Amino acid sequence: MENEYDDFGNLQKKKLKPVHGILLFVLVMASYYTIIAWMQMKFGMYGLAMTELYLLLLSVGITVLCGADLAEVFPVRKPAWSKVFGTLLLWAGVYALVLPATMVIAWLFPRQMFGTGSALNDMIASVPLLLSVFITAVMPAVCEEAMHRGVILHSLKSLKREWLIVLVMGILFGLFHGSVWRFVPTALLGGALSWLMLKTENMVYPALFHFANNFLPTLLTFGQTENDAAAGAEYLMEAGIPMAALGIYVAIGCVAPFAIYTAGYLIRREKGRKVPYFPKEHQTFWIVFLTICSVIPAMIGGVLFLYGIFFDDSLWEMIRQSPVENFTVFLKYL
């Protein structure tokens, strides 16, 4: 990389280029089939913690080796409360999209979706709750974000176009999780996290988003006994998701449009500067557009639910089998 100088002739830190981010990604993916797989098989949850530290070490290491500015690649500043609330609202809105997307895939491929997560959930429950939350929610929020929203995103800024960076980052985040069945949900999350980072230039916000997303499944894992969880997953692998239940999850998507729009408004808003909720020149468009986007999943979900109630006996069979355990399994496998 060439040296860069400011207007006063002072040597500036070097900039990361796309090749550096891609190199880190390739190195990490190659590691999954060697050292990472070995660590997790050998040490279980502690191997997962070692994996997160490994990602952090690689991210900081490549930044230092390339001579880039650590504070620029991993920017951390005091968060604003409005943006904190906006971040949590963004997570809720994106979750309302990811949930139905995940359940549609699970409805089409129940064995693949519910089968691949059982081993991970057993591992999560193998340590005390607080330690599990730290390893599965706190550490990824720091270590994985240092890799993705730190090194890789920073290296892609030369692409200039924000939508392209978000798209590439979403694809990489989907590939990073190593499951074709979960690619779409994780890619959506990766895109949202990257947009958040581009808008705030503060890693505190994507870390908070990432923590919230990982915390819920971890908490639900400890809400069931191991036998109940295994039985619920086995039942859903065999019977699949009832149509009525799928309708409920699709209908949840109706809250996403206004939640995401409001989150964007809070995240973009700066202290001391008044910004209208709807731009005056486009107010009618946004109201109509968001309303339509909210009504469509509600209508589709309602039709699926009614069909499942009147023409599909699987919902009633699932309720008779074990209602709480089976419904909770839906959320755990996101």
Side-chain angles (χ1 to χ4, degrees):
M1 291 181 295
E2 297 181 358
N3 294 334
E4 296 184 5
Y5 297 86
D6 60 21
D7 295 337
F8 300 98
N10 298 318
L11 181 65
Q12 293 181 322
K13 289 284 187 176
K14 297 176 181 178
K15 302 289 185 181
L16 294 178
K17 295 182 179 180
V19 64
H20 300 122
I22 299 302
L23 176 64
L24 173 62
F25 183 79
V26 171
L27 178 59
V28 169
M29 296 306 292
S31 298
Y32 266 105
Y33 301 97
T34 53
I35 184 172
I36 291 178
W38 175 79
M39 285 192 300
Q40 295 188 9
M41 290 179 62
K42 179 73 172 179
F43 302 105
M45 278 293 283
Y46 301 103
L48 184 60
M50 294 165 65
T51 298
E52 297 296 336
L53 292 175
Y54 175 70
L55 298 179
L56 181 61
L57 179 63
L58 285 179
S59 300
V60 174
I62 196 169
T63 303
V64 172
L65 287 175
C66 292
D69 188 345
L70 288 171
E72 186 177 347
V73 177
F74 311 108
V76 176
R77 292 183 293 275
K78 181 180 178 181
W81 283 110
S82 62
K83 287 182 171 58
V84 168
F85 181 72
T87 296
L88 294 175
L89 187 59
L90 178 65
W91 168 75
V94 174
Y95 189 83
L97 286 179
V98 169
L99 184 59
T102 303
M103 291 309 155
V104 168
I105 298 172
W107 182 73
L108 294 171
F109 308 100
R111 181 162 290 278
Q112 290 86 344
M113 284 295 287
F114 293 115
T116 54
S118 57
L120 177 59
N121 283 310
D122 290 342
M123 186 168 67
I124 290 174
S126 66
V127 298
L129 175 59
L130 290 179
L131 180 58
S132 183
V133 168
F134 180 78
I135 294 175
T136 62
V138 177
M139 293 189 73
V142 175
C143 303
E144 291 180 20
E145 288 308 302
M147 172 187 169
H148 289 275
R149 256 55 61 184
V151 174
I152 299 179
L153 187 146
H154 187 80
S155 73
L156 295 178
K157 284 187 175 181
S158 60
L159 298 179
K160 303 300 184 181
R161 293 178 176 83
E162 186 177 284
W163 68 267
L164 181 58
I165 296 174
V166 170
L167 176 63
V168 173
M169 290 298 298
I171 293 173
L172 293 179
F173 199 64
L175 294 173
F176 170 76
H177 285 80
S179 171
V180 65
W181 312 109
R182 302 176 192 280
F183 174 79
V184 171
T186 51
L188 287 172
L189 290 168
L193 283 161
S194 300
W195 177 88
L196 179 61
M197 183 63 188
L198 288 171
K199 290 301 180 185
T200 62
E201 291 291 341
N202 187 347
M203 295 198 68
V204 171
Y205 300 115
L208 176 62
F209 183 116
H210 203 142
F211 170 82
N213 191 71
N214 286 19
F215 176 71
L216 180 59
T218 301
L219 193 63
L220 289 172
T221 297
F222 283 84
Q224 292 181 295
T225 65
E226 184 175 343
N227 290 336
D228 286 339
E234 183 63 31
Y235 176 83
L236 290 170
M237 280 192 289
E238 296 297 332
I241 298 175
M243 183 67 74
L246 180 63
I248 294 173
Y249 287 107
V250 171
I252 289 174
C254 72
V255 306
F258 279 97
I260 293 174
Y261 182 89
T262 304
Y265 166 76
L266 292 171
I267 289 167
R268 290 192 300 266
R269 190 176 64 175
E270 297 297 334
K271 185 177 180 180
R273 185 166 61 92
K274 291 185 178 180
V275 179
Y277 183 71
F278 290 118
K280 292 182 178 180
E281 62 274 19
H282 302 298
Q283 181 174 349
T284 302
F285 166 80
W286 279 112
I287 293 175
V288 172
F289 176 75
L290 293 174
T291 301
I292 292 174
C293 291
S294 298
V295 169
I296 289 176
M299 291 179 61
I300 295 175
V303 170
L304 294 175
F305 176 77
L306 292 174
Y307 179 88
I309 290 293
F310 293 107
F311 301 102
D312 185 6
D313 294 333
S314 57
L315 176 66
W316 311 114
E317 179 63 26
M318 189 186 76
I319 292 174
R320 285 193 294 269
Q321 288 278 340
S322 187
V324 176
E325 286 78 4
N326 290 332
F327 273 108
T328 305
V329 166
F330 292 165
L331 296 177
K332 284 172 54 181
Y333 286 86
L334 292 179

